[in-house]
């Protein structure tokens, strides 16, 4: 990791086997993403956004080349090391929130801290802090089924942010939200990015998200078509 | 520890779904323990009654005697030795002389086993004191089953025909002086108990016996040439076999109940794998390894049986304790089954039974939970997160 660069991707290729052949989802990807960036992988469906996000999130591995995240070469990590990387340094926000339906808001947000085997008092402190960030203290006892889509996504953000990870990966975070909720969510994430210097990487084709991005990495047919900084 | 914590949280969170499974499993616990308790209670009662009514502390059999071969009865008798007579006088054993006979109640012919027993004996619960008589008649006591079969009542006279030691037929009338009730059918069915001295005189076998039943407190006394000592293990083998046969029936119950309970757990777990794929993916994304997720799901399944054990304790202990106190009344007619079966069976529960049942249920539930959970290890995390069925 050099000069605040958290992610370095070099000549990366990702193939998926199909029958006797394969489908190339990503090709010749070269990217660096630094600390505190608010970047987006932008492109149409099938362009490879989610695949790239999954590799950065160590949920998948490159077929060729290297994806180095926080000094770890993703392709070289075993299952336990990948899990540790995700556990300690990465936060995920999903399109469909992926909240555990049998847990209440507090328990959902607390879960990553339980996996970190953090002591109870510290957990309570951090969960309360995360709920304050997203403004959901009054819903702490509610279950996901009792929340609106926007509230669910805010819980999801709190869960991703509670351990204050270096990187938060958000896959189509506003796809199921209306415009007002989308803006609220994005403003919350932008504030957290600014205040905590957390790197946010989005995979999106939603214009509402794109207008918030500080850096837009456009993908097309598995290749980086354009990589531009957006002046704010 | 984390798996236990999360599994507990998941189960509590699933509310009704969890409690339905737990209730079914707790039923399996209670019914299995109850059924085994009934068999244990039956076994204990049957052993106790057989010892009290029939075999005492063990029996000396004449070497030719085989209760399953009627042809041996004729030759299964021998004079009592001085040592035997002394032991009888000391109350250490009591003789029984067995011969075959026929009775003619109301003109019908029925084969019976004629058994001479000492009216003063104190070893068996058989009410032999009714056989004390000075009026020259031959008093006889019979069991309620024999009384029912032969339609004999107290005070009735019935003709008995027998063969003496020389094979000569003779006949006389005996008077039914008492009808006793016993749970041990082998002291009742087809047996006519008369005083041994009368019996010895009838069959011309003075001072002879077929078996000698020892006192419960003493048991084996020593070697007597021509006589073989039969201990409890041998004499109770029929009961043991009967309980074993009933236990097989019990195991079938056990398997059915366990299958139902396990099906519920297995169903829940299999459904979980499909329905909770996103949850599995989320756990992985949050930093769990696939092995940890497998452990979580396995513990979650196994925890059903722990909760079921607690639930079973809450309603099972009072229920089973009540049943052990009031017993389980056998339906009318079970007397005729030919089994050593009292009117009421009092279930008997042991620590081993409870702990054994709990362990079996726990281990089975864990295995049943592990099998579907193992599928998780084959799931691609990226597909799991999206809830994509694989």
């Amino acid at each position: 990791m050099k000069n605040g660069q958290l992610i370095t991707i070099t000549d990366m290729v990702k193939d998926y086997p199909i029958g006797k052949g394969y489908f190339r989802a990503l090709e010749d990807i070269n990217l660096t993403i630094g600390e505190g960036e608010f970047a987006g992988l932008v492109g149409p469906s099938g362009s490879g956004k989610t695949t790239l996000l999954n590799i950065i999130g160590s949920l998948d591995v490159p077929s060729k080349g290297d994806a180095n995240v926080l000094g770890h070469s993703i392709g070289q990590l075993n299952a336990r090391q990948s899990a540790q990387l995700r556990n300690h340094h990465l936060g995920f926000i999903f399109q469909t929130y992926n909240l555990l339906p049998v847990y209440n808001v507090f328990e959902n947000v607390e879960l990553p801290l339980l996996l970190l085997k953090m002591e109870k008092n510290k957990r309570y402190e951090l969960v309360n802090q995360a709920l304050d960030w997203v403004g959901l203290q009054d819903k702490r006892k509610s279950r996901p089924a009792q929340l609106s889509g926007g509230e669910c996504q805010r819980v999801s953000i709190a869960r991703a942010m509670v351990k204050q990870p270096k990187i938060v990966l958000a896959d189509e975070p506003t796809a199921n939200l209306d415009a007002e909720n989308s803006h609220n969510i994005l403003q919350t994430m932008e504030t957290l990015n600014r205040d905590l210097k957390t790197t946010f990487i989005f995979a999106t084709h939603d214009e509402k998200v794109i207008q918030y991005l500080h850096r837009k990495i456009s993908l097309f047919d598995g290749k980086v078509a354009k990589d531009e900084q957006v002046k704010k | 520890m984390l798996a236990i914590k999360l599994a507990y949280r998941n189960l509590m969170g699933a509310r009704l779904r969890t409690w339905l499974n737990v209730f079914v499993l707790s039923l399996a616990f209670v019914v299995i323990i109850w059924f085994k308790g009934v068999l244990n209670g039956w076994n204990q009662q049957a052993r106790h009654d057989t010892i009290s009514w029939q075999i005492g502390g063990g029996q000396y059999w004449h070497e030719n005697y085989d209760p399953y071969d009627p042809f041996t009865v004729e030759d299964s008798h021998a004079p009592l030795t001085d040592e035997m007579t002394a032991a009888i006088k000391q109350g250490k054993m009591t003789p029984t002389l067995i011969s075959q006979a026929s009775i003619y109640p109301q003109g019908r012919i029925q084969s019976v086993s004629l058994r001479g027993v000492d009216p003063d004996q104190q070893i068996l619960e058989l009410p032999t004191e009714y056989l004390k008589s000075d009026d020259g008649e031959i008093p006889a006591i019979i069991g309620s089953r024999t009384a029912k079969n032969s339609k004999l009542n107290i005070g009735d006279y019935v003709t008995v025909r027998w063969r003496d030691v020389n094979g000569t037929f003779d006949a006389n009338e005996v008077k039914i002086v008492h009808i006793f009730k016993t749970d041990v059918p082998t002291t009742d069915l087809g047996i006519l108990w008369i005083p041994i001295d009368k019996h010895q005189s009838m069959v011309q076998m003075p001072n002879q016996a077929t078996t000698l039943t020892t006192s419960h407190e003493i048991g084996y006394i020593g070697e007597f040439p021509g006589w073989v000592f039969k201990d409890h293990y041998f004499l109770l083998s029929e009961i043991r076999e009967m309980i074993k046969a009933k236990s097989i029936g019990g195991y079938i119950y056990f398997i059915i109940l366990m299958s139902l309970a396990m099906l519920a757990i297995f169903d829940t777990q299999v459904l979980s794998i499909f329905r909770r794929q996103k949850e599995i993916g989320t756990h992985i994304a949050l930093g769990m390894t696939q092995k940890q997720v497998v452990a979580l799901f396995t513990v979650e399944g196994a925890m059903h049986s722990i909760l079921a054990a607690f639930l079973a304790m809450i309603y099972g202990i009072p229920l089973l304790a009540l049943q052990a106190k009031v017993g389980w009344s056998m339906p009318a007619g079970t007397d005729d089954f030919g089994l050593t079966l009292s009117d009421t069976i009092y279930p008997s529960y042991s620590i081993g039974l409870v702990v054994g049942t709990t362990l079996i249920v726990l281990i089975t539930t864990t295995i049943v939970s592990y099998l579907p959970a193992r599928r998780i290890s084959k799931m691609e995390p990226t597909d799991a997160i999206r809830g994509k069925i694989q």
Side-chain angles (χ1 to χ4, degrees):
Chain A
M1 217 167 46
K2 50 187 179 182
N3 301 333
Q5 287 174 1
L6 303 185
I7 300 162
T8 308
I9 297 172
T10 316
D11 301 330
M12 194 186 77
V13 172
K14 177 65 187 177
D15 295 328
Y16 288 110
I18 296 178
K20 288 180 182 173
Y22 62 87
F23 167 72
R24 180 148 290 180
L26 292 171
E27 189 171 0
D28 293 332
I29 304 291
N30 287 284
L31 270 180
T32 55
I33 297 174
E35 190 176 3
E37 285 206 43
F38 203 70
L41 306 171
V42 179
S45 291
S47 59
K49 309 182 294 289
T50 300
T51 305
L52 183 52
L53 207 68
N54 283 339
I55 292 172
I56 295 170
S58 76
L59 291 168
D60 209 344
V61 290
S63 305
K64 283 180 197 163
D66 184 44
N68 191 297
V69 177
L70 299 166
H72 301 281
S73 182
I74 297 297
Q76 307 297 315
L77 300 178
N78 61 30
R80 204 168 64 85
Q81 289 165 330
S82 314
Q84 275 185 346
L85 176 65
R86 290 192 296 271
N87 196 0
H88 286 90
H89 303 298
L90 304 178
F92 287 86
I93 298 167
F94 303 100
Q95 177 181 339
T96 49
Y97 328 127
N98 287 34
L99 300 177
L100 305 191
V102 297
Y103 289 7
N104 62 31
V105 166
F106 189 94
E107 290 166 338
N108 264 292
V109 178
E110 188 192 18
L111 185 57
L113 305 181
L114 277 172
L115 300 181
L116 283 170
K117 298 186 172 70
M118 196 175 278
E119 62 157 19
K120 195 176 178 181
N121 290 341
K122 184 73 179 162
R123 285 201 314 264
Y124 275 48
E125 185 190 317
L126 292 178
V127 173
N128 282 325
Q129 185 184 51
L131 290 177
D132 283 338
W133 289 337
V134 295
L136 279 178
Q137 275 294 5
D138 56 329
K139 301 278 185 181
R140 54 194 289 131
K141 298 276 182 198
S142 304
R143 288 190 172 209
Q146 298 165 311
L147 302 177
S148 68
E151 286 171 332
C152 281
Q153 197 57 298
R154 280 197 277 159
V155 177
S156 183
I157 293 168
R159 186 179 62 185
M161 288 301 298
V162 69
K163 60 189 175 188
Q164 297 186 22
K166 296 265 187 209
I167 303 166
V168 169
L169 304 166
D171 190 5
E172 305 281 10
T174 55
N176 288 343
L177 301 179
D178 57 32
E180 190 187 344
N181 271 315
S182 297
H183 286 297
N184 288 339
I185 294 295
L186 288 160
Q187 277 163 10
T188 304
M189 289 196 271
E190 199 176 33
T191 307
L192 290 169
N193 164 254
R194 190 180 58 236
D195 295 349
L196 303 172
K197 298 279 176 263
T198 306
T199 301
F200 276 80
I201 304 172
F202 296 86
T204 185
H205 61 267
D206 184 348
E207 278 304 320
K208 296 188 291 290
V209 180
I210 292 169
Q211 62 180 301
Y212 276 86
L213 298 176
H214 302 179
R215 180 181 172 191
K216 200 165 83 174
I217 303 162
S218 302
L219 293 175
F220 191 78
D221 278 350
K223 293 178 185 169
V224 177
K226 204 170 174 183
D227 186 353
E228 56 187 328
Q229 295 291 332
V230 181
K231 284 190 179 170
K232 293 283 171 185
Chain B
M1 195 62 197
L2 178 67
I4 294 171
K5 197 172 200 167
L6 291 180
Y8 179 76
R9 197 175 265 191
N10 287 347
L11 289 184
M12 290 301 110
R15 294 173 185 172
L16 188 62
R17 180 162 53 94
T18 297
W19 290 113
L20 277 174
N21 282 334
V22 166
F23 180 67
V24 172
L25 203 52
S26 74
L27 271 182
F29 267 114
V30 173
V31 175
I32 290 164
I33 291 171
W34 172 77
F35 192 83
K36 289 211 154 210
V38 168
L39 283 180
N40 277 354
W42 181 11
N43 188 12
Q44 284 173 14
Q45 276 174 271
R47 285 173 62 92
H48 175 266
D49 290 348
T50 306
I51 288 167
S52 305
W53 280 84
Q54 192 181 354
I55 63 171
Q59 289 181 323
Y60 285 92
W61 287 6
H62 184 268
E63 60 189 354
N64 294 335
Y65 180 58
D66 178 358
Y68 298 108
D69 182 358
F71 294 108
T72 64
V73 174
E74 214 169 294
D75 303 319
S76 305
H77 51 85
L80 299 171
T81 62
D82 291 343
E83 292 97 321
M84 285 174 163
T85 309
I88 292 165
K89 280 185 179 160
Q90 289 164 12
K92 290 180 181 173
M93 51 165 66
T94 185
T96 306
L97 179 63
I98 303 172
S99 67
Q100 286 179 293
S102 302
I103 57 171
Y104 297 86
Q106 298 169 355
R108 293 176 292 125
I109 183 168
Q110 276 184 0
S111 291
V112 291
S113 172
L114 201 57
R115 297 199 183 182
V117 64
D118 180 3
D120 294 318
Q121 66 82 27
Q122 299 291 321
I123 291 171
L124 301 173
E125 273 190 33
L126 207 61
T128 50
E129 65 274 15
Y130 289 97
L131 296 175
K132 292 174 187 169
S133 161
D134 303 325
D135 56 8
E137 290 181 319
I138 304 171
I141 57 172
I142 53 174
S144 54
R145 296 173 186 85
T146 304
K148 189 179 166 193
N149 291 346
S150 53
K151 296 189 170 58
L152 287 170
N153 291 306
I154 294 172
D156 285 355
Y157 287 87
V158 64
T159 304
V160 182
R161 191 180 71 144
W162 68 90
R163 286 169 70 169
D164 66 17
V165 71
N166 302 312
T168 310
F169 281 103
D170 201 350
N172 206 334
E173 281 200 321
V174 299
K175 183 184 179 184
I176 306 299
V177 293
H178 181 69
I179 294 170
F180 60 85
K181 174 99 177 71
T182 177
D183 298 332
V184 186
T186 44
T187 59
D188 175 344
L189 278 169
I191 297 171
L192 201 64
W193 296 91
I194 58 172
I196 191 166
D197 54 342
K198 302 257 185 203
H199 192 189
Q200 287 165 341
S201 142
M202 284 157 68
V203 292
Q204 296 182 34
M205 296 177 195
N207 197 37
Q208 294 198 25
T210 306
T211 65
L212 291 138
T213 305
T214 64
S215 157
H216 183 46
E217 293 79 28
I218 294 170
Y220 180 74
I221 292 170
E223 286 292 318
F224 297 112
W227 298 81
V228 184
F229 184 74
K230 303 289 183 184
D231 62 7
H232 278 177
Y233 184 80
F234 176 85
L235 294 168
L236 293 169
S237 59
E238 272 183 49
I239 291 176
R240 215 170 35 250
E241 289 304 314
M242 179 183 70
I243 295 293
K244 203 169 148 189
K246 293 289 164 195
S247 294
I248 292 169
Y251 288 130
I252 293 170
Y253 261 121
F254 180 89
I255 289 166
I256 292 171
L257 277 167
M258 280 296 287
S259 302
L260 283 174
M262 291 305 120
L263 198 65
I265 304 289
F266 188 76
D267 253 15
T268 308
Q269 294 299 101
V270 170
L271 270 175
S272 291
I273 304 306
F274 289 102
R275 208 168 53 84
R276 295 167 66 188
Q277 276 193 91
K278 265 193 187 179
E279 189 180 322
I280 292 161
T282 307
H283 276 117
I284 291 168
L286 293 178
M288 276 180 119
T289 60
Q290 280 163 323
K291 274 185 187 169
Q292 282 177 304
V293 180
V294 172
L296 170 63
F297 272 67
T298 307
V299 171
E300 208 175 296
M303 208 173 263
H304 278 105
S305 58
I306 294 167
L307 291 174
F310 281 116
L311 182 65
M313 271 184 349
I314 291 169
Y315 72 89
I317 288 177
L319 211 67
L320 296 179
L322 180 72
Q323 173 88 98
K325 196 177 170 192
V326 300
W328 182 28
S329 297
M330 292 290 103
T334 45
D335 260 8
D336 302 329
F337 287 0
L339 304 172
T340 306
L341 192 62
S342 64
D343 295 339
T344 307
I345 290 180
Y346 295 92
S348 164
Y349 313 107
S350 63
I351 298 281
L353 169 65
V354 175
V355 173
T357 308
T358 308
L359 281 178
I360 289 172
V361 175
L362 184 65
I363 292 166
T364 318
T365 317
T366 308
I367 294 169
V368 161
S369 305
Y370 171 71
L371 293 176
R374 206 174 48 164
R375 279 206 61 173
I376 295 167
S377 59
K378 293 170 187 164
M379 201 178 275
E380 287 294 331
T382 49
D383 290 335
I385 286 168
R386 282 181 287 167
K388 191 175 165 186
I389 302 286
Q390 293 171 59

